[in-house]
């Protein structure tokens, strides 16, 4: 049993597999709907999120627990200048666990140092998002074994925390990682170096057809418009890596497309109807995975 | 030349700290990381590019009436790993220690990542582990690999 869920790097393979197994059991309806009926989850979201927040709240409700939140940042004590450390200390007195989304990297680590209850990291800046990574792994595992596959990461690999976290988790398995990113948004050299030190093979691509043909899993991330100096340069990059039905004619028949959502233009909506598209199933998987995590820290 | 008298370049101090074997040219950086500037009132002696049998050239700093604490020694270790610290009391060397870069640096280095929580007004000190690839921020996971002296707090 873990006290906090801060970074996917903390997890060994057997722990990841055990959590995925637990989520699968929950997904099959085998769980106690009153398991957390006397528990309260403090939901602290310092930046917008729809899926992560709602799936944590849904997971808590499915287990019979309650959720409390601080409202939007604009109506919280943050506008009075309260530190995160103080907020965490206060909410520790109200809730049995805290789920935190924060724009600063390392915020969840800080929170774990001041909290007297478990902290679950729901994304901190461009840093870690461990529950999303478990959802990604779970969705892959529903389609194919996690061993011996080729996983491609496409999009903003510089700032995309979900791509980094997934890559770190995949180093626990016998997986080849392929990357394709717009110029300037490549995976940071220190991340690549660390991944290689962990023994994973990384293949860097610059052509999307070759990239697509190599993969069992294509993990697409949103290219963030705010990283570009103007709309024209954003659209030039964004449209260069658009996933379309035409592109996917080159893919393996069993290849799946994942996206942590929300998407903008990077996946054509016509892809939604293809058997490759698993991103809505991926979003749905947020609930059993987060139920497994809540049981892990509070059960 | 053969009978040139030997003279001391810096006079002894009664109480305080002598930092010896500083990497040549780093004495002023050592003062900077100790917070010693032209407006502070320490009584100092500094020698730079002194001939050293051990290292060829070295710098030496003597600070009267001040004994360095562990965090200050940690900072010095980052830019002068060969330095030795001598604590002087009543003209005698009472403690002599080498500097050693610790496994974890607490409040010594500022994280270069502007998005790191350690660069905000939270009640924490920066925390880095020393790795072969550089200094690893234990909050945001970034690596500091270049210009470490420039990031010393």
């Amino acid at each position: 049993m873990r006290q906090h869920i801060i970074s996917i790097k903390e997890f060994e393979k057997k722990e990841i597999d055990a959590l995925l197994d637990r989520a699968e059991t929950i997904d099959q309806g085998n769980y106690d709907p009153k398991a957390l009926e006397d528990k309260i989850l403090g939901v602290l979201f310092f930046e917008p999120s729809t899926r992560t927040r709602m799936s944590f709240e849904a997971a808590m409700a499915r287990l019979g627990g309650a959720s409390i939140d601080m409202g939007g940042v604009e109506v919280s004590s943050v506008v009075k200048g309260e530190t995160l450390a103080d907020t965490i200390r206060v909410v520790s007195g109200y809730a049995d666990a805290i789920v935190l989304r924060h724009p600063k990297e390392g915020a969840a680590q800080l929170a774990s140092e001041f909290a007297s209850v478990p902290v679950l990291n729901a994304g901190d800046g461009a840093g870690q998002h461990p529950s999303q990574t478990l959802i990604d792994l779970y969705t892959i595992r529903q389609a194919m074994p996690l061993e011996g596959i080729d996983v491609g990461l496409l999009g903003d690999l510089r700032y995309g925390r979900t791509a980094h976290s997934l890559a770190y988790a995949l180093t626990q398995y016998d997986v080849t990682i392929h990357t394709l990113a717009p110029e300037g948004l490549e995976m940071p050299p220190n991340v690549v170096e660390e991944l290689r030190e962990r023994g994973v093979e990384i293949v860097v691509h610059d052509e999307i057809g070759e990239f697509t043909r190599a993969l069992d899993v294509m993990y697409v991330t949103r290219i963030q418009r705010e990283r570009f100096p103007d709309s024209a340069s954003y659209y030039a990059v964004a449209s260069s890596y658009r996933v379309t039905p035409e592109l996917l004619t080159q893919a393996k028949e069993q290849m799946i497309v994942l996206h942590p959502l929300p998407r903008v233009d990077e996946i054509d909506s016509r892809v939604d109807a293809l058997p490759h598209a698993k991103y809505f199933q991926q979003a749905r998987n947020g609930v059993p995975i987060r139920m497994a995590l809540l049981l892990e820290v509070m059960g | 030349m053969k009978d040139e008298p030997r003279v001391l370049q810096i006079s002894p101090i009664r109480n305080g700290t002598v930092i010896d074997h500083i990497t040549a040219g780093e004495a002023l950086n050592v003062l900077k990381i100790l917070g010693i500037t032209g407006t502070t009132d320490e009584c100092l002696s500094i020698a730079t590019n002194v001939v050293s049998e051990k290292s060829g050239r070295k710098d030496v700093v003597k600070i009267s009436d001040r004994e360095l604490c562990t965090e200050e020694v940690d900072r010095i270790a980052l830019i002068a790993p060969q330095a030795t610290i001598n604590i002087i009391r009543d003209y005698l060397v009472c403690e002599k220690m080498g500097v050693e870069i610790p496994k974890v640096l607490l409040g010594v280095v500022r994280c270069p990542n502007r998005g790191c929580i350690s660069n905000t007004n939270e009640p924490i000190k920066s925390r880095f582990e020393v790795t072969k690839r550089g200094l690893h921020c234990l909050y945001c996971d970034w690596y500091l690999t270049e210009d470490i002296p420039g990031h010393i707090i």
Side-chain angles (χ1 to χ4, degrees):
Chain A
M1 186 165 169
R2 270 186 180 274
Q3 189 184 359
H4 304 292
I5 309 288
I6 304 299
S7 165
I8 199 69
K9 285 183 176 180
E10 299 165 349
F11 287 82
E12 293 178 9
K13 182 170 181 272
K14 63 180 180 185
E15 286 181 279
I16 293 175
D17 288 339
L19 275 166
L20 301 186
D21 289 345
R22 191 174 205 170
E24 189 173 20
T25 303
I26 290 168
D27 219 356
Q28 291 161 349
N30 299 318
Y31 64 91
D32 175 4
K34 295 182 178 177
L36 299 181
E37 72 175 350
D38 57 342
K39 305 290 187 189
I40 294 174
L41 179 66
V43 180
L44 300 184
F45 274 52
F46 289 81
E47 64 178 16
S49 164
T50 305
R51 276 149 293 275
T52 305
R53 180 186 184 126
M54 289 187 71
S55 61
F56 264 111
E57 290 175 342
M60 195 63 184
R62 293 257 182 229
L63 292 166
S67 302
I68 55 171
D69 67 43
M70 61 180 200
V73 168
E74 67 283 359
V75 295
S76 74
S77 297
V78 175
V79 294
K80 299 175 186 170
E82 184 175 64
T83 62
L84 175 62
D86 280 0
T87 304
I88 293 294
R89 281 185 281 209
V90 169
V91 178
S92 286
Y94 303 157
D96 300 290
I98 291 170
V99 57
L100 175 71
R101 164 70 66 96
H102 198 279
K104 291 288 183 185
E105 286 135 55
Q109 174 60 40
L110 176 145
S112 71
E113 293 167 12
F114 287 89
S116 55
V117 296
V119 172
L120 298 105
N121 185 3
D124 54 353
Q128 291 282 329
H129 197 356
S131 61
Q132 179 64 50
T133 303
L134 291 167
I135 294 164
D136 301 338
L137 294 173
Y138 183 63
T139 312
I140 295 171
R141 206 179 75 159
Q142 286 177 322
M144 65 192 80
L146 277 167
E147 301 284 353
I149 57 173
D150 290 84
V151 179
L153 307 174
L154 171 67
D156 176 2
L157 305 186
R158 181 172 180 185
Y159 302 103
R161 61 186 166 208
T162 57
H164 298 173
S165 291
L166 177 59
Y168 283 123
L170 288 171
T171 63
Q172 307 260 8
Y173 300 90
D174 176 22
V175 167
T176 301
I177 295 176
H178 301 254
T179 65
L180 177 59
E183 191 177 344
L185 295 179
E186 297 90 352
M187 195 168 269
N190 64 307
V191 176
V192 173
E193 193 180 341
E194 189 171 352
L195 291 170
R196 286 191 168 132
E197 276 176 10
R198 287 168 172 243
V200 76
E201 184 186 353
I202 299 181
V203 183
V204 179
H205 295 262
D206 56 13
E207 200 275 306
I208 195 164
E210 174 195 81
F211 174 78
T212 303
R213 287 189 290 276
L215 306 178
D216 297 297
V217 177
M218 180 189 283
Y219 191 85
V220 188
T221 63
R222 184 167 60 93
I223 293 172
Q224 299 165 83
R225 193 177 304 200
E226 59 272 23
R227 305 290 183 201
F228 293 83
D230 54 67
S231 297
S233 53
Y234 161 74
Y235 282 112
V237 168
S239 60
S240 67
Y241 295 131
R242 189 172 164 82
V243 178
T244 62
E246 292 74 27
L247 174 72
L248 293 180
T249 58
Q250 303 178 56
K252 294 178 189 173
E253 191 179 338
Q254 303 302 322
M255 190 267 266
I256 61 170
V257 178
L258 302 181
H259 190 303
L261 301 178
R263 68 172 156 174
V264 185
D265 295 319
E266 56 276 10
I267 301 179
D268 189 315
S269 60
R270 291 177 299 146
V271 174
D272 300 356
L274 301 179
H276 302 292
K278 298 293 182 193
Y279 30 88
F280 290 113
Q281 181 179 329
Q282 182 186 5
R284 182 207 160 276
N285 286 339
V287 177
I289 285 290
R290 284 162 178 147
M291 288 169 75
L293 289 172
L294 292 172
L295 288 170
E296 177 73 12
V297 299
M298 283 190 286
Chain B
M1 294 292 284
K2 63 182 178 181
D3 293 326
E4 187 175 324
R6 291 166 63 87
V7 293
L8 284 172
Q9 286 182 287
I10 315 177
S11 56
I13 58 173
R14 180 168 189 162
N15 294 302
T17 303
V18 176
I19 311 166
D20 199 357
H21 300 292
I22 299 169
T23 311
E26 293 289 351
L28 296 179
N29 280 332
V30 167
L31 295 180
K32 183 181 161 196
I33 64 179
L34 293 176
I36 296 171
T37 68
T39 59
T40 51
D41 55 6
E42 288 87 354
C43 180
L44 292 175
S45 303
I46 306 165
T48 60
N49 292 314
V50 177
V51 175
S52 161
E53 283 180 19
K54 201 162 102 179
S55 54
R57 296 272 171 185
K58 67 176 182 178
D59 290 2
V60 183
V61 170
K62 297 188 179 188
I63 311 167
S64 293
D65 301 321
R66 178 168 166 184
E67 295 185 7
L68 297 185
C69 67
T70 307
E71 277 189 7
E72 291 170 328
V73 174
D74 291 350
R75 289 182 172 88
I76 291 169
L78 286 173
I79 61 167
Q82 309 303 322
T84 54
I85 311 283
N86 299 306
I87 304 295
I88 312 294
R89 292 179 195 135
D90 206 15
Y91 295 109
L92 294 174
V93 177
C94 289
E95 286 179 48
K96 190 179 182 80
M97 52 188 155
V99 299
E100 187 178 348
I101 299 176
K103 287 181 182 166
V104 175
L105 298 167
L106 199 59
V108 173
V109 174
R110 186 178 304 286
C111 183
N113 174 14
R114 284 185 296 173
C116 179
I117 195 79
S118 68
N119 287 325
T120 62
N121 65 342
E122 296 293 336
I124 54 169
K125 291 180 175 178
S126 71
R127 198 159 74 225
F128 285 82
E129 65 173 340
V130 180
T131 74
K132 62 182 178 184
R133 277 200 282 132
L135 304 182
H136 175 219
C137 177
L138 292 174
Y139 282 102
C140 75
D141 227 14
W142 275 51
Y143 280 88
L144 173 57
T145 55
E146 296 174 348
D147 187 25
I148 289 170
H151 290 84
I152 292 173
I153 295 169

